[in-house]
Amino acid sequence: ALSGAAPTSDQLALCHEAALRSAVLLKNDAAALPLRVARRVALIGPLAENGGALLGSWAQQGRAEETQTLAAALRERLPAGTELVVASGCAIEGADTAGLPSALAAVAAADAVVVCAGEAATMSGENASRASLRLPGGQEELLLRVAAAAQGK
């Protein structure tokens, strides 16, 4: 059990183990996971390097600096010689999709594509829930365009 203001290394290890054991893949079309060996992986989306957003509604309790981003985890775990190209493509909120061309270029040059999309930490939780289940900002357009460009990868 977690107690006190700062979790101990043993408590963090227990949390990590619980997360590993509780992750569930709902659908694995065409055996997309685990990722096959790839020379270049494109990680696309505004949450790829945003540890704070990954905390979700627990952002007030968590520490963004202790939250490993998906980009950092992939850099750590991809086989040696695999290039990871990260492109946000758009902002979490708002209509800014200025990064879309570079994201699509990364997808075109990649052997495998991973998308990291979702909400900012402030978009859910007590007194902050959204009325729509759609991805915020330009993320839906990003996801659709990336999916179309990644066909067969």
Side-chain angles (χ1 to χ4, degrees):
L2 293 175
S3 62
T8 66
S9 59
D10 287 343
Q11 290 169 327
L12 289 173
L14 179 62
C15 289
H16 183 259
E17 180 65 24
L20 288 175
R21 289 181 180 217
S22 64
V24 176
L25 179 64
L26 298 178
K27 193 170 184 180
N28 192 14
D29 280 346
L33 294 175
L35 286 177
R36 66 188 188 291
V37 176
R39 291 180 299 108
R40 182 177 292 143
V41 175
L43 175 58
I44 309 297
L47 274 68
E49 296 188 287
N50 188 331
L54 296 179
L55 289 168
S57 61
W58 292 96
Q60 297 297 323
Q61 304 294 323
R63 294 179 181 87
E65 66 276 5
E66 292 178 358
T67 305
Q68 188 175 41
T69 66
L70 186 55
L74 286 173
R75 284 185 189 102
E76 227 177 65
R77 291 170 177 86
L78 285 172
T82 303
E83 178 186 0
L84 179 67
V85 179
V86 181
S88 65
C90 66
I92 295 174
E93 297 181 74
D96 180 13
T97 56
L100 189 55
S102 62
L104 294 175
V107 170
D111 303 309
V113 179
V114 176
V115 176
C116 188
E119 298 179 332
T122 57
M123 295 176 124
S124 64
E126 190 172 334
N127 201 29
S129 296
R130 297 173 53 233
S132 172
L133 295 176
R134 297 186 88 122
L135 287 168
Q139 292 183 76
E140 189 170 338
E141 178 186 356
L142 173 70
L143 183 60
L144 292 171
R145 300 274 302 270
V146 166
Q151 286 294 322
K153 292 191 184 253

Coordinates of all heavy atoms in Angstrom, one line a residue, residues 21-67:
R21 N 0.8 -6.3 -15.0 CA -0.1 -7.4 -14.9 C -1.6 -7.0 -15.3 O -2.4 -7.9 -15.6 CB -0.1 -8.0 -13.5 CG 1.2 -8.7 -13.3 CD 1.2 -9.3 -11.9 NE 2.4 -10.0 -11.6 CZ 2.4 -11.1 -10.9 NH1 1.3 -11.6 -10.4 NH2 3.6 -11.7 -10.7
S22 N -1.9 -5.7 -15.2 CA -3.3 -5.3 -15.4 C -3.5 -4.7 -16.8 O -4.7 -4.5 -17.2 CB -3.7 -4.3 -14.4 OG -2.9 -3.1 -14.5
A23 N -2.5 -4.5 -17.6 CA -2.7 -4.0 -19.0 C -3.4 -5.0 -19.8 O -3.1 -6.2 -19.8 CB -1.4 -3.6 -19.6
V24 N -4.4 -4.5 -20.5 CA -5.2 -5.4 -21.3 C -5.3 -4.9 -22.8 O -5.6 -3.7 -23.0 CB -6.7 -5.6 -20.8 CG1 -7.5 -6.4 -21.7 CG2 -6.6 -6.1 -19.4
L25 N -5.0 -5.7 -23.7 CA -5.2 -5.4 -25.1 C -6.5 -5.8 -25.5 O -6.9 -7.0 -25.5 CB -4.1 -6.0 -26.0 CG -4.1 -5.8 -27.4 CD1 -3.9 -4.3 -27.7 CD2 -3.1 -6.6 -28.1
L26 N -7.4 -4.9 -25.9 CA -8.8 -5.3 -26.2 C -8.9 -5.9 -27.6 O -9.7 -6.8 -27.8 CB -9.7 -4.0 -26.2 CG -9.8 -3.4 -24.8 CD1 -10.6 -2.1 -24.9 CD2 -10.3 -4.3 -23.8
K27 N -8.1 -5.5 -28.5 CA -8.2 -6.1 -29.9 C -6.8 -6.0 -30.5 O -6.2 -5.0 -30.5 CB -9.2 -5.3 -30.7 CG -9.6 -5.9 -32.0 CD -10.8 -5.2 -32.6 CE -11.3 -5.9 -33.8 NZ -12.5 -5.2 -34.4
N28 N -6.4 -7.1 -31.1 CA -5.1 -7.1 -31.8 C -5.3 -7.6 -33.2 O -4.9 -8.6 -33.6 CB -4.2 -8.1 -31.0 CG -2.7 -8.0 -31.4 OD1 -2.3 -7.0 -32.1 ND2 -1.9 -8.9 -31.0
D29 N -5.9 -6.7 -34.0 CA -6.1 -7.0 -35.4 C -4.8 -7.3 -36.1 O -3.8 -6.6 -35.9 CB -6.8 -5.8 -36.1 CG -8.3 -5.8 -35.8 OD1 -8.8 -6.8 -35.3 OD2 -8.9 -4.7 -36.1
A30 N -4.8 -8.3 -36.9 CA -3.7 -8.6 -37.8 C -2.4 -8.8 -37.0 O -1.3 -8.6 -37.5 CB -3.5 -7.6 -38.9
A31 N -2.5 -9.2 -35.7 CA -1.4 -9.5 -34.9 C -0.4 -8.3 -34.9 O 0.8 -8.5 -35.1 CB -0.7 -10.8 -35.3
A32 N -0.9 -7.1 -34.7 CA -0.1 -5.9 -34.7 C 0.9 -5.8 -33.6 O 1.9 -5.2 -33.7 CB -1.0 -4.6 -34.7
L33 N 0.5 -6.5 -32.5 CA 1.4 -6.5 -31.3 C 1.8 -7.9 -31.0 O 1.0 -8.8 -31.1 CB 0.7 -5.8 -30.1 CG 0.5 -4.3 -30.3 CD1 -0.4 -3.8 -29.1 CD2 1.7 -3.6 -30.4
P34 N 2.9 -8.2 -30.5 CA 4.0 -7.2 -30.3 C 4.6 -6.7 -31.6 O 4.4 -7.3 -32.6 CB 5.1 -8.0 -29.5 CG 4.9 -9.4 -29.9 CD 3.4 -9.5 -30.1
L35 N 5.2 -5.5 -31.6 CA 5.7 -4.9 -32.8 C 6.8 -5.9 -33.4 O 7.6 -6.4 -32.7 CB 6.5 -3.6 -32.5 CG 5.6 -2.4 -32.2 CD1 6.5 -1.2 -31.8 CD2 4.7 -2.0 -33.3
R36 N 6.7 -6.0 -34.7 CA 7.7 -6.8 -35.4 C 9.0 -6.0 -35.4 O 9.0 -4.8 -35.2 CB 7.2 -7.2 -36.7 CG 7.1 -6.1 -37.7 CD 6.4 -6.5 -39.0 NE 6.4 -5.5 -40.0 CZ 5.7 -4.4 -40.0 NH1 5.0 -4.1 -38.9 NH2 5.8 -3.5 -40.9
V37 N 10.1 -6.7 -35.7 CA 11.3 -6.0 -35.8 C 11.3 -5.0 -36.9 O 10.8 -5.3 -38.0 CB 12.5 -7.0 -36.1 CG1 13.8 -6.3 -36.3 CG2 12.6 -8.0 -35.0
A38 N 11.6 -3.8 -36.6 CA 11.6 -2.7 -37.6 C 12.8 -1.8 -37.5 O 13.4 -1.7 -36.4 CB 10.4 -1.8 -37.3
R39 N 13.3 -1.3 -38.7 CA 14.4 -0.4 -38.7 C 14.1 0.9 -38.2 O 14.9 1.6 -37.5 CB 15.0 -0.3 -40.1 CG 15.6 -1.5 -40.7 CD 16.1 -1.3 -42.1 NE 15.1 -1.0 -43.0 CZ 14.9 0.3 -43.5 NH1 15.7 1.2 -43.3 NH2 13.9 0.5 -44.4
R40 N 12.8 1.4 -38.5 CA 12.4 2.7 -38.1 C 11.0 2.7 -37.6 O 10.1 2.2 -38.3 CB 12.5 3.7 -39.3 CG 12.1 5.1 -39.0 CD 12.3 6.0 -40.1 NE 13.7 6.2 -40.4 CZ 14.2 6.3 -41.7 NH1 13.4 6.3 -42.7 NH2 15.5 6.4 -41.9
V41 N 10.8 3.2 -36.4 CA 9.4 3.3 -35.8 C 9.0 4.7 -35.7 O 9.8 5.6 -35.2 CB 9.4 2.6 -34.4 CG1 8.1 2.8 -33.7 CG2 9.8 1.1 -34.5
A42 N 7.9 5.1 -36.2 CA 7.3 6.4 -36.0 C 6.4 6.4 -34.8 O 5.4 5.6 -34.8 CB 6.6 6.8 -37.3
L43 N 6.6 7.3 -33.9 CA 5.7 7.5 -32.7 C 5.1 8.8 -33.0 O 5.7 9.9 -32.9 CB 6.5 7.5 -31.4 CG 5.7 7.8 -30.2 CD1 4.6 6.8 -30.0 CD2 6.7 7.8 -29.0
I44 N 3.8 8.8 -33.2 CA 3.0 10.0 -33.6 C 2.0 10.3 -32.5 O 1.3 9.5 -32.0 CB 2.3 9.7 -34.9 CG1 3.2 9.2 -36.0 CG2 1.6 11.0 -35.4 CD1 4.4 10.1 -36.4
G45 N 1.9 11.6 -32.2 CA 0.8 12.1 -31.3 C 1.3 13.1 -30.3 O 2.4 13.0 -29.9
P46 N 0.4 13.9 -29.8 CA 0.8 15.0 -28.9 C 1.1 14.5 -27.5 O 1.6 15.2 -26.7 CB -0.5 15.9 -28.9 CG -1.6 15.0 -29.3 CD -1.0 14.0 -30.2
L47 N 0.8 13.2 -27.2 CA 1.1 12.7 -25.8 C 2.3 11.9 -25.8 O 2.7 11.4 -24.8 CB -0.1 11.8 -25.3 CG -1.2 12.6 -24.6 CD1 -2.0 13.5 -25.5 CD2 -2.1 11.7 -23.9
A48 N 3.0 11.7 -26.9 CA 4.2 10.8 -27.0 C 5.3 11.2 -26.1 O 6.0 10.4 -25.5 CB 4.7 10.8 -28.5
E49 N 5.5 12.5 -25.8 CA 6.5 13.0 -25.0 C 6.0 13.8 -23.8 O 6.7 14.6 -23.2 CB 7.6 13.8 -25.7 CG 8.3 12.9 -26.8 CD 9.4 13.6 -27.4 OE1 9.2 14.5 -28.3 OE2 10.6 13.2 -27.1
N50 N 4.7 13.5 -23.4 CA 4.1 14.3 -22.4 C 3.7 13.5 -21.2 O 2.7 12.9 -21.1 CB 2.8 15.0 -23.0 CG 2.1 15.9 -22.1 OD1 2.2 15.8 -20.9 ND2 1.4 16.9 -22.6
G51 N 4.7 13.4 -20.2 CA 4.4 12.5 -19.1 C 3.3 13.1 -18.2 O 2.6 12.3 -17.6
G52 N 3.2 14.4 -18.1 CA 2.1 14.9 -17.3 C 0.7 14.5 -17.7 O -0.1 14.2 -16.9
A53 N 0.5 14.5 -19.0 CA -0.8 14.2 -19.5 C -1.1 12.7 -19.3 O -2.3 12.3 -19.1 CB -0.9 14.5 -21.0
L54 N -0.1 11.9 -19.2 CA -0.3 10.4 -19.0 C -0.8 10.1 -17.6 O -1.4 9.1 -17.4 CB 1.0 9.7 -19.3 CG 1.5 9.7 -20.7 CD1 2.8 8.9 -20.8 CD2 0.5 9.2 -21.7
L55 N -0.6 11.1 -16.7 CA -1.1 10.9 -15.3 C -2.6 11.1 -15.3 O -3.3 10.6 -14.3 CB -0.5 11.9 -14.4 CG 1.0 11.7 -14.1 CD1 1.6 12.9 -13.4 CD2 1.2 10.4 -13.2
G56 N -3.2 11.7 -16.3 CA -4.7 11.9 -16.3 C -5.2 12.6 -15.1 O -4.5 13.6 -14.7
S57 N -6.3 12.2 -14.6 CA -6.9 13.0 -13.5 C -6.1 12.8 -12.2 O -6.5 13.4 -11.2 CB -8.4 12.5 -13.3 OG -8.4 11.1 -13.0
W58 N -5.1 12.0 -12.2 CA -4.2 11.9 -11.0 C -3.1 12.8 -11.1 O -2.1 12.7 -10.3 CB -3.8 10.4 -10.9 CG -4.9 9.5 -10.6 CD1 -5.6 8.8 -11.5 CD2 -5.5 9.3 -9.3 NE1 -6.6 8.1 -10.8 CE2 -6.5 8.4 -9.5 CE3 -5.2 9.7 -8.0 CZ2 -7.3 7.9 -8.4 CZ3 -6.0 9.3 -7.0 CH2 -7.0 8.4 -7.2
A59 N -3.1 13.8 -12.0 CA -1.9 14.7 -12.1 C -1.6 15.4 -10.8 O -0.4 15.7 -10.6 CB -2.2 15.7 -13.3
Q60 N -2.6 15.7 -10.0 CA -2.4 16.4 -8.8 C -1.6 15.6 -7.8 O -0.9 16.1 -6.9 CB -3.7 16.9 -8.2 CG -4.4 17.9 -9.0 CD -3.7 19.2 -9.2 OE1 -3.0 19.7 -8.3 NE2 -3.7 19.7 -10.4
Q61 N -1.8 14.2 -7.8 CA -1.2 13.3 -6.9 C 0.2 12.8 -7.4 O 1.0 12.4 -6.6 CB -2.1 12.1 -6.7 CG -3.5 12.5 -6.2 CD -3.5 13.1 -4.8 OE1 -2.7 12.7 -4.0 NE2 -4.3 14.1 -4.6
G62 N 0.3 12.8 -8.7 CA 1.5 12.2 -9.3 C 2.6 13.2 -9.5 O 2.5 14.4 -9.2
R63 N 3.7 12.7 -10.1 CA 4.8 13.6 -10.4 C 5.2 13.4 -11.8 O 5.7 12.3 -12.2 CB 6.0 13.2 -9.5 CG 5.8 13.5 -8.0 CD 7.0 13.1 -7.2 NE 6.8 13.3 -5.8 CZ 6.2 12.5 -5.0 NH1 5.8 11.3 -5.4 NH2 6.1 12.8 -3.7
A64 N 5.0 14.4 -12.6 CA 5.2 14.3 -14.1 C 6.7 13.9 -14.4 O 7.0 13.1 -15.3 CB 4.9 15.6 -14.8
E65 N 7.6 14.4 -13.5 CA 9.0 14.1 -13.8 C 9.4 12.7 -13.5 O 10.4 12.2 -13.9 CB 9.9 15.0 -12.9 CG 9.8 14.8 -11.4 CD 8.6 15.6 -10.7 OE1 7.8 16.2 -11.4 OE2 8.6 15.5 -9.5
E66 N 8.5 11.9 -12.8 CA 8.7 10.5 -12.5 C 7.9 9.6 -13.5 O 8.0 8.4 -13.4 CB 8.3 10.2 -11.1 CG 9.2 10.8 -10.1 CD 8.8 10.5 -8.6 OE1 7.7 9.8 -8.5 OE2 9.5 10.9 -7.7
T67 N 7.1 10.2 -14.4 CA 6.3 9.5 -15.3 C 7.0 9.3 -16.6 O 7.3 10.3 -17.3 CB 5.0 10.2 -15.5 OG1 4.3 10.5 -14.3 CG2 4.0 9.4 -16.4

